[in-house]
Amino acid sequence: MKKGRVFSGARPTGQQHIGNYLGAIQNYVALQDDYECIYCIVDIHALTTLEDTHLLQANIREMALDWLAAGIDPQRSIMFVQSHVPEIAELFTYMGMTTPMGWLTRVPTFKEKVRMHPDNVNYGLLGYPVLMASDIILYKADTVPVGEDQLPHLELTREIVRRFNSIFGEVFPEPKAKLTEIPLIVGLDGSAKMSKSMDNQIDLAVSDEETLKRVKTAFTDPTRVRKNDPGHPDKCNVYTLHGAFTTSVFPEKFMAIAHDCKQAQIGCVDCKKLLGESINEFLRPFRERRAKLAENPGVLDEILADGAKRASAIAKETLREVKEKMGLL
Ligand code: SF4
């Protein structure tokens, strides 16, 4: 017996990096044991800023390959592309009729986007939280995995749901947050976040050599200037990453790092080399599965088509109920 239905969506950003894996994907995989999971690549959301649309299809496929290779199981979970279930556009329109404008103009991310893209303040950008709410409730998901910082977004979804239900009668469950501890994975260059746009990431699917090369560039404890200086692993991102990778593939080596760093018995060059080897070892099965999946693009097409079909069956049923309550049927 499953505990509930999870929905989570992510924009198609192409190949995923280790920050994406530690922050979201590994949690997606784990949730499959206890929940009925629906994972969606939200390509319509990607249109709000109209960037790189020519890369959309390639980015969707790369991301889907990474999700599958990481362990999202299309037999147990529904994995699909948002625009492949057009019912989402219809529900978005209906939910727009009950969501007050003031709720949307007050959203901090809307204000931020207006500041960043003053030439492209479109209606879709304003309606973004309504689309996000529609994504969740179209499938009647009752659980949404979120980090603490995303709680306000989910609260707005809950308000949108409450308002609709109070006007037209109970249709949607109010989705609850499943608080997930999202480890802070800073960029290799020490900037606040690992991200492709900053080119400070390690993609999951790169070669062993590329991984070792990238890890070499990682920012370490800034107070450790010479090899003989004692280090502070708690202030070093390389050590944080050892905690995510080395701890599971070379646990005995992981145990020694903090001590050896503090006593200056290991240099940063060797420490980073070990991290690169750990990441490669950890990702070896992932990379093998991914290469196999990529060899046969038809399989990916079938998985996404099957996901869309199963998602669409739920969506159609929800829409029928919504239209009935709203007097459209
Ligand atoms: Fe960081 Fe390792 Fe250097 Fe210590 S030895 S500062 S943990 S890279």
Side-chain angles (χ1 to χ4, degrees):
M1 177 78 178
K2 299 281 185 183
K3 290 182 187 163
R5 183 177 285 170
V6 156
F7 178 93
S8 189
R11 283 178 178 230
T13 49
Q15 285 204 11
Q16 302 291 282
H17 53 68
I18 58 173
N20 300 131
Y21 178 77
L22 298 172
I25 303 171
Q26 67 172 0
N27 187 41
Y28 283 3
V29 174
L31 284 169
Q32 298 178 116
D33 292 337
D34 295 325
Y35 293 86
E36 191 188 332
C37 294
I38 302 181
Y39 295 129
C40 182
I41 298 177
V42 291
D43 55 347
I44 303 175
H45 284 283
L47 297 178
T48 50
T49 47
L50 290 179
E51 282 164 8
D52 299 333
T53 50
H54 64 290
L55 296 175
L56 254 182
Q57 291 310 309
N59 284 345
I60 288 169
R61 298 187 74 83
E62 295 292 350
M63 189 162 165
L65 283 174
D66 281 343
W67 281 9
L68 290 168
I72 291 181
D73 176 356
Q75 304 294 322
R76 286 197 288 165
S77 300
I78 297 179
M79 184 182 123
F80 72 108
V81 179
Q82 185 187 27
S83 68
H84 294 182
V85 180
E87 285 83 0
I88 184 63
E90 194 174 343
L91 184 62
F92 174 48
T93 303
Y94 300 149
M95 298 311 291
M97 305 302 172
T98 54
T99 308
M101 229 358 220
W103 291 5
L104 303 175
T105 50
R106 275 200 300 271
V107 172
T109 45
F110 173 67
K111 291 184 183 165
E112 163 88 7
K113 293 246 167 76
V114 169
R115 202 176 48 75
M116 282 166 60
H117 306 278
D119 302 334
N120 184 25
V121 182
N122 55 56
Y123 166 70
L125 204 56
L126 180 70
Y128 186 93
V130 182
L131 183 57
M132 208 177 81
S134 304
D135 280 326
I136 300 166
I137 62 179
L138 182 57
Y139 306 104
K140 295 209 175 171
D142 50 26
T143 309
V144 181
V146 285
E148 193 113 32
D149 58 327
Q150 293 159 314
L151 279 176
H153 296 282
L154 188 64
E155 193 43 48
L156 182 52
T157 292
R158 288 162 58 84
E159 279 176 41
I160 290 171
V161 166
R162 278 198 291 271
R163 186 165 167 90
F164 181 95
N165 284 348
S166 72
I167 296 172
F168 294 109
E170 288 290 315
V171 176
F172 303 113
E174 264 183 54
K176 298 181 301 292
K178 171 143 184 61
L179 259 189
T180 311
E181 237 183 83
I182 297 180
L184 178 67
I185 305 300
V186 305
L188 293 176
D189 58 359
S191 48
K193 209 172 159 203
M194 185 171 274
S195 93
K196 213 179 272 284
S197 58
M198 308 271 288
D199 194 25
N200 64 10
Q201 88 287 11
I202 299 173
D203 286 338
L204 297 170
V206 289
S207 64
D208 286 6
E209 295 69 36
E210 178 67 14
T211 303
L212 292 171
K213 204 169 111 197
R214 290 229 148 209
V215 171
K216 263 191 202 168
T217 67
F219 186 80
T220 60
D221 170 11
T223 62
R224 196 167 186 208
V225 183
R226 287 173 302 270
K227 201 175 171 182
N228 294 341
D229 294 337
H232 304 85
D234 51 321
K235 291 189 187 135
C236 177
N237 186 37
V238 170
Y239 186 70
T240 308
L241 293 174
H242 273 301
F245 296 103
T246 311
T247 187
S248 70
V249 287
F250 302 129
E252 66 302 335
K253 291 188 184 171
F254 175 69
M255 305 282 273
I257 298 169
H259 168 270
D260 291 355
C261 170
K262 286 182 200 160
Q263 304 297 320
Q265 287 172 5
I266 183 174
C268 293
V269 172
D270 289 338
C271 188
K272 289 194 222 178
K273 186 163 173 281
L274 173 60
L275 175 63
E277 288 163 0
S278 302
I279 294 174
N280 286 337
E281 188 58 30
F282 184 93
L283 291 177
R284 196 169 317 288
F286 163 89
R287 287 173 176 164
E288 284 168 8
R289 279 195 298 271
R290 193 188 198 279
K292 240 189 208 145
L293 277 164
E295 267 171 24
N296 191 347
V299 172
L300 180 60
D301 290 334
E302 276 169 30
I303 290 172
L304 292 177
D306 179 63
K309 196 170 141 203
R310 286 152 66 204
S312 182
I314 305 172
K316 282 192 164 68
E317 184 50 34
T318 307
L319 266 185
R320 192 196 50 75
E321 232 182 295
V322 168
K323 286 164 81 172
E324 226 169 57
K325 293 274 188 194
M326 293 184 95
L328 294 169
L329 285 181

